[in-house]
Amino acid sequence: MRSDDFQAITGLCAPIVEKLDRYLACLRHWQRRINLVSSSTLADPWRRHVLDSLQIASEVSSPSKRLVDLGSGAGFPGMVLAITGFSDVHLIESDARKCAFLHQINAETDTHAIVVHNRIDKVKPFRADVVTARALAPLDSLIECAQPFLGSDSICLFLKGSKVEQELTAAQKKWNMRVLRVPSLTDPAGTVLKIERTGRRDNG
């Protein structure tokens, strides 16, 4: 997929696509020094990273919602959403070098995502409308990590691969939750999990 293919699919304006192109150029440059993403994915980054991240935007009612991206790493999906119009994005990342990369992307693209350099379990809890994560941890662990940021109306949007059913089975032993499975636009084996109303099961 090329940038013009991506623009045709998403309908994003040229200035936003240009910012995303600068993001990917910066990613390629930094990848030589630190491992931000799997190198094999850089053969098709518009599909594997940018479109993959952006697909979850349709599950959020407004870009003004406060969004927390857990273990943001190279910024997928949180930074993509910030660049494309989400106004209150918090990127939580424990690796100082990855945080430096995220700050660089903010500067290169004139974006104002909030980069939080800390372990997820050490961040002072605050309420988010949306919690996202990609390639971070099994689902039961993700839900645990998300708890300090969830209010009664919050949702989780987690990008998952071929093991999604096993992860759901394991998570449902520990958590009550409402789950919507949305087929991935970029990976036939992938799923976007939209999760609401999570609560710990009483297994005692």
Side-chain angles (χ1 to χ4, degrees), residues 86-155:
F86 281 70
S87 59
D88 190 4
V89 176
H90 300 250
L91 309 175
I92 301 177
E93 175 53 51
S94 62
D95 187 305
R97 298 174 302 168
K98 293 177 181 178
C99 287
F101 170 75
L102 295 171
H103 283 298
Q104 180 72 26
I105 298 303
N106 267 337
E108 292 280 345
T109 62
D110 191 28
T111 301
H112 305 286
I114 298 167
V115 180
V116 181
H117 177 205
N118 211 337
R119 288 170 51 93
I120 297 166
D121 59 355
K122 300 298 182 184
V123 176
K124 184 177 180 180
F126 61 92
R127 186 187 175 282
D129 300 298
V130 183
V131 176
T132 62
R134 188 181 84 147
L136 177 62
L139 181 60
D140 58 343
S141 297
L142 286 179
I143 296 172
E144 184 80 57
C145 290
Q147 290 306 297
F149 308 102
L150 298 179
S152 59
D153 296 325
S154 302
I155 64 171

Side-chain angles (χ1 to χ4, degrees), residues 31-75:
Q31 182 75 10
R32 299 171 195 157
R33 292 180 284 165
I34 64 172
N35 185 36
L36 291 165
V37 296
S38 172
S39 294
S40 64
T41 64
L42 293 179
D44 190 10
W46 285 99
R47 180 177 65 87
R48 296 289 298 274
H49 296 304
V50 185
L51 184 59
D52 191 53
S53 297
L54 188 61
Q55 66 178 316
I56 69 176
S58 62
E59 301 301 325
V60 182
S61 60
S62 168
S64 66
K65 298 290 188 182
R66 175 176 288 175
L67 185 147
V68 169
D69 190 31
L70 302 176
S72 196

